[in-house]
Amino acid sequence: MERMESMEPISAYYTTAYPEIQPDSGYVSRETTDNQAKTPPAPSYDEELVHKTILVGDSGVGKTSLLVQFDQGKFIPGSFSATNKVVTVDGVKVKLQVSKGNLKWALTVGAMIWDTAGQERFRSVTHAYYRDAHALLLLYDITSKSSFDNITAWLTEIHEYAQSDVVIMLLGNKGDMSSERAIRRDEGERLAREYTVPFMETSAKTGVNVELAFTAVAKELKHRAVQHPNEPKFQIHEYIESQKEKSGCCSYF
Ligand SMILES: Nc1nc2c(ncn2[C@@H]2O[C@H](COP(=O)(O)OP(=O)(O)OP(=O)(O)O)[C@@H](O)[C@H]2O)c(=O)[nH]1
């Protein structure tokens, strides 16, 4: 795996400042790429395209663990809870750039902002981050009914502040904890269908579907950026299903 920055040891990872990823840096605006797509000849893939992706969801659902699993290919047990780690004023816990093959991600993990009365609000990153995001990974924890119930509120927040064409994916994380499961897989599937977003269960612990989740959104964004008007649209749902079948994804949680 090619890294865009030198890595710090994990112990320092969540207690030091992260490489700043400026909202406007490192990726091509959709407006530009749309125009390019309409101008013959068909555009080639912009190798510098960075897929700005934010992970959101209730506290403790495993956002940071999922990012670490994707980035480092391992599970580091224990909470990266925002409450005792550095959270920037804009509600961001981690910013990181990851590069795999010719795909690049600027990843941001949102941390819950607590209001003065100590009540959790359905807001993590500030509006500027939402507006700037190409993709949002929205996580719940399959062992936590409340994290699932709150997905609707998260989606309301996303629809209010994010770009209308943002790619959203719903992830039911902690898929390895089937004995403590509170949300059936078909409940996740039903919710995803209701909001017309792709869905899969993941495990930051075993790594199941982690790479697929990030790759699927990046591929969707890449296809949008370079799509020729006459070409068929990339079908993210079909891509996910075909890859799940290839990897036999869900049988070894
Ligand atoms: N078994 C299991 N545990 C997980 C998984 N993902 C995360 N955890 C655990 O769940 C807890 C919370 O994980 P975090 O990655 O800190 O969650 P977060 O969403 O970033 O939390 P906040 O910073 O509070 O927003 C930790 O104890 C993790 O070890 C998973 O897929 N399986």
Side-chain angles (χ1 to χ4, degrees), residues 57-66 75-83 93 109-112 173-177 202-206:
D58 279 12
S59 187
V61 294
K63 300 179 292 293
T64 317
S65 302
L66 198 82
F75 177 62
I76 297 174
S79 182
F80 299 111
S81 172
T83 51
K93 192 168 78 163
V109 175
M112 282 288 200
N173 191 40
K174 307 195 186 179
D176 57 285
M177 296 179 72
T202 54
S203 169
K205 186 171 183 180
T206 65

Coordinates of all heavy atoms in Angstrom, one line a residue, residues 57-66 75-83 93 109-112 173-177 202-206, ligand 1:
G57 N -21.5 9.0 12.3 CA -22.4 8.0 13.0 C -22.2 8.3 14.5 O -21.2 9.0 14.9
D58 N -23.0 7.6 15.3 CA -22.9 7.8 16.7 C -21.6 7.5 17.3 O -20.8 6.7 16.7 CB -24.0 6.9 17.4 CG -25.4 7.5 17.3 OD1 -25.6 8.5 16.6 OD2 -26.3 7.0 18.0
S59 N -21.4 8.0 18.5 CA -20.1 7.7 19.2 C -20.0 6.2 19.5 O -21.0 5.6 19.9 CB -20.2 8.5 20.5 OG -18.9 8.4 21.1
G60 N -18.8 5.7 19.2 CA -18.6 4.3 19.6 C -19.0 3.3 18.5 O -18.8 2.1 18.7
V61 N -19.5 3.7 17.3 CA -19.9 2.7 16.3 C -18.7 2.1 15.6 O -18.9 1.1 14.9 CB -20.9 3.3 15.3 CG1 -22.2 3.7 16.0 CG2 -20.3 4.5 14.6
G62 N -17.5 2.7 15.7 CA -16.3 2.1 15.1 C -15.8 2.9 13.9 O -15.1 2.3 13.1
K63 N -16.1 4.2 13.9 CA -15.6 5.0 12.7 C -14.1 5.0 12.6 O -13.5 4.7 11.6 CB -16.1 6.4 12.9 CG -17.6 6.6 12.9 CD -18.0 8.0 13.1 CE -17.7 8.7 14.4 NZ -18.4 8.1 15.6
T64 N -13.4 5.2 13.8 CA -12.0 5.3 13.7 C -11.4 3.9 13.5 O -10.4 3.8 12.8 CB -11.5 5.9 15.1 OG1 -12.3 7.0 15.4 CG2 -10.0 6.4 14.9
S65 N -12.0 2.9 14.1 CA -11.4 1.6 14.0 C -11.5 1.1 12.5 O -10.6 0.5 12.0 CB -12.2 0.6 14.8 OG -12.1 1.0 16.2
L66 N -12.6 1.5 11.9 CA -12.8 1.2 10.4 C -11.7 1.9 9.6 O -11.1 1.2 8.7 CB -14.2 1.6 10.0 CG -14.7 1.0 8.7 CD1 -15.3 -0.4 9.0 CD2 -15.8 1.8 8.0
F75 N -6.7 -4.4 13.3 CA -7.7 -3.9 14.3 C -6.9 -3.6 15.6 O -6.2 -4.4 16.1 CB -8.7 -4.9 14.5 CG -9.7 -4.6 15.6 CD1 -10.6 -3.5 15.4 CD2 -9.8 -5.4 16.8 CE1 -11.5 -3.2 16.4 CE2 -10.8 -5.1 17.7 CZ -11.6 -4.0 17.5
I76 N -7.1 -2.4 16.0 CA -6.4 -2.0 17.3 C -7.5 -1.8 18.3 O -8.3 -0.9 18.3 CB -5.6 -0.7 17.1 CG1 -4.5 -1.0 16.1 CG2 -5.0 -0.3 18.5 CD1 -3.7 0.2 15.8
P77 N -7.7 -2.8 19.2 CA -8.8 -2.8 20.1 C -8.8 -1.6 21.1 O -7.7 -1.1 21.3 CB -8.7 -4.1 20.9 CG -7.5 -4.8 20.5 CD -6.8 -4.0 19.4
G78 N -9.9 -1.3 21.6 CA -10.0 -0.2 22.6 C -10.5 1.0 21.9 O -10.5 1.2 20.7
S79 N -11.1 1.9 22.7 CA -11.8 3.0 22.1 C -10.9 4.1 21.7 O -10.0 4.5 22.4 CB -12.8 3.5 23.1 OG -13.6 4.6 22.6
F80 N -11.2 4.7 20.5 CA -10.5 5.9 20.1 C -11.5 7.0 20.5 O -11.6 8.0 19.7 CB -10.2 5.9 18.6 CG -9.3 4.8 18.2 CD1 -9.8 3.7 17.5 CD2 -8.0 4.8 18.6 CE1 -9.0 2.7 17.0 CE2 -7.1 3.8 18.2 CZ -7.6 2.7 17.4
S81 N -12.2 6.9 21.5 CA -13.3 7.8 21.8 C -12.9 9.3 21.7 O -11.8 9.7 22.2 CB -13.8 7.6 23.3 OG -14.7 8.6 23.6
A82 N -13.7 10.0 21.1 CA -13.5 11.4 20.9 C -13.4 12.2 22.2 O -12.8 13.2 22.3 CB -14.6 12.0 20.1
T83 N -14.0 11.6 23.3 CA -14.0 12.3 24.5 C -12.7 12.5 25.2 O -12.4 13.5 25.9 CB -14.9 11.6 25.6 OG1 -14.5 10.3 25.6 CG2 -16.4 11.7 25.1
K93 N -12.2 14.5 14.2 CA -11.3 13.7 15.1 C -10.0 13.3 14.4 O -8.9 13.3 14.9 CB -12.0 12.5 15.6 CG -11.3 11.8 16.8 CD -12.2 10.7 17.4 CE -12.3 9.5 16.6 NZ -12.7 8.3 17.4
V109 N -12.8 11.7 10.0 CA -13.7 11.0 10.9 C -14.3 12.1 11.8 O -13.6 12.9 12.4 CB -13.0 10.0 11.9 CG1 -13.9 9.5 12.9 CG2 -12.4 8.9 11.1
G110 N -15.6 12.2 11.7 CA -16.3 13.2 12.5 C -16.5 12.7 13.9 O -16.6 11.6 14.2
A111 N -16.4 13.7 14.8 CA -16.6 13.4 16.2 C -17.8 14.1 16.7 O -18.1 15.2 16.2 CB -15.4 13.8 17.1
M112 N -18.6 13.5 17.6 CA -19.8 14.2 18.1 C -19.5 15.5 18.8 O -18.5 15.6 19.5 CB -20.5 13.3 19.1 CG -21.2 12.2 18.5 SD -22.7 12.8 17.7 CE -23.7 11.3 17.6
N173 N -21.7 -1.7 11.2 CA -20.4 -2.2 11.7 C -20.5 -3.1 12.9 O -21.5 -3.3 13.4 CB -19.5 -1.0 12.0 CG -18.0 -1.4 12.2 OD1 -17.5 -2.2 11.5 ND2 -17.4 -0.8 13.2
K174 N -19.4 -3.8 13.2 CA -19.2 -4.8 14.2 C -20.0 -6.0 13.9 O -20.6 -6.7 14.7 CB -19.7 -4.2 15.6 CG -19.0 -2.9 16.0 CD -19.2 -2.6 17.5 CE -18.6 -1.2 17.8 NZ -18.7 -0.8 19.2
G175 N -19.9 -6.3 12.6 CA -20.6 -7.5 12.0 C -20.1 -8.8 12.7 O -20.7 -9.9 12.6
D176 N -18.9 -8.8 13.3 CA -18.3 -10.0 13.9 C -19.0 -10.3 15.2 O -18.9 -11.4 15.7 CB -16.8 -9.7 14.2 CG -16.6 -8.5 15.0 OD1 -16.7 -7.4 14.5 OD2 -16.3 -8.6 16.2
M177 N -19.8 -9.3 15.8 CA -20.4 -9.5 17.1 C -21.8 -10.1 17.0 O -22.8 -9.5 17.5 CB -20.4 -8.2 17.9 CG -19.0 -7.7 18.2 SD -19.0 -6.2 19.0 CE -19.5 -6.7 20.7
T202 N -20.1 -4.4 7.9 CA -18.6 -4.4 8.0 C -18.1 -4.9 9.3 O -18.9 -5.0 10.3 CB -18.1 -3.0 7.8 OG1 -18.7 -2.2 8.7 CG2 -18.3 -2.5 6.4
S203 N -16.9 -5.2 9.4 CA -16.3 -5.5 10.7 C -14.9 -4.8 10.7 O -14.0 -5.3 9.9 CB -16.1 -7.0 11.0 OG -15.3 -7.1 12.1
A204 N -14.7 -3.8 11.5 CA -13.4 -3.2 11.6 C -12.4 -4.2 12.3 O -11.2 -4.1 12.2 CB -13.5 -1.9 12.5
K205 N -13.0 -5.2 13.0 CA -12.2 -6.2 13.7 C -11.6 -7.2 12.7 O -10.4 -7.5 12.7 CB -13.0 -6.9 14.8 CG -12.2 -7.8 15.7 CD -13.0 -8.3 16.9 CE -12.1 -9.2 17.7 NZ -12.8 -9.6 18.9
T206 N -12.5 -7.9 12.0 CA -12.0 -8.9 11.0 C -11.6 -8.3 9.7 O -11.0 -9.0 8.9 CB -13.1 -10.0 10.8 OG1 -14.2 -9.3 10.1 CG2 -13.7 -10.6 12.1
Ligands
LIG1 N1 -15.9 -6.3 17.9 C1 -15.7 -5.2 17.3 N2 -15.4 -4.1 18.0 C2 -15.3 -2.9 17.3 C3 -15.4 -2.8 15.9 N3 -15.2 -1.5 15.5 C4 -14.9 -0.8 16.7 N4 -15.0 -1.7 17.7 C5 -14.8 -1.3 19.1 O1 -15.8 -0.3 19.4 C6 -15.2 0.7 20.3 C7 -15.4 2.1 19.6 O2 -14.6 2.2 18.5 P1 -14.1 3.6 17.8 O3 -13.4 3.2 16.6 O4 -13.4 4.3 18.9 O5 -15.5 4.3 17.5 P2 -15.8 5.8 17.0 O6 -17.1 5.7 16.2 O7 -14.6 6.3 16.3 O8 -16.1 6.5 18.4 P3 -16.1 8.1 18.8 O9 -14.8 8.6 18.8 O10 -16.7 8.1 20.2 O11 -17.0 8.8 17.8 C8 -13.8 0.3 20.5 O12 -13.7 -0.4 21.7 C9 -13.4 -0.6 19.4 O13 -12.4 -1.5 19.7 C10 -15.8 -4.0 15.2 O14 -16.0 -4.0 14.0 N5 -15.9 -5.2 15.9

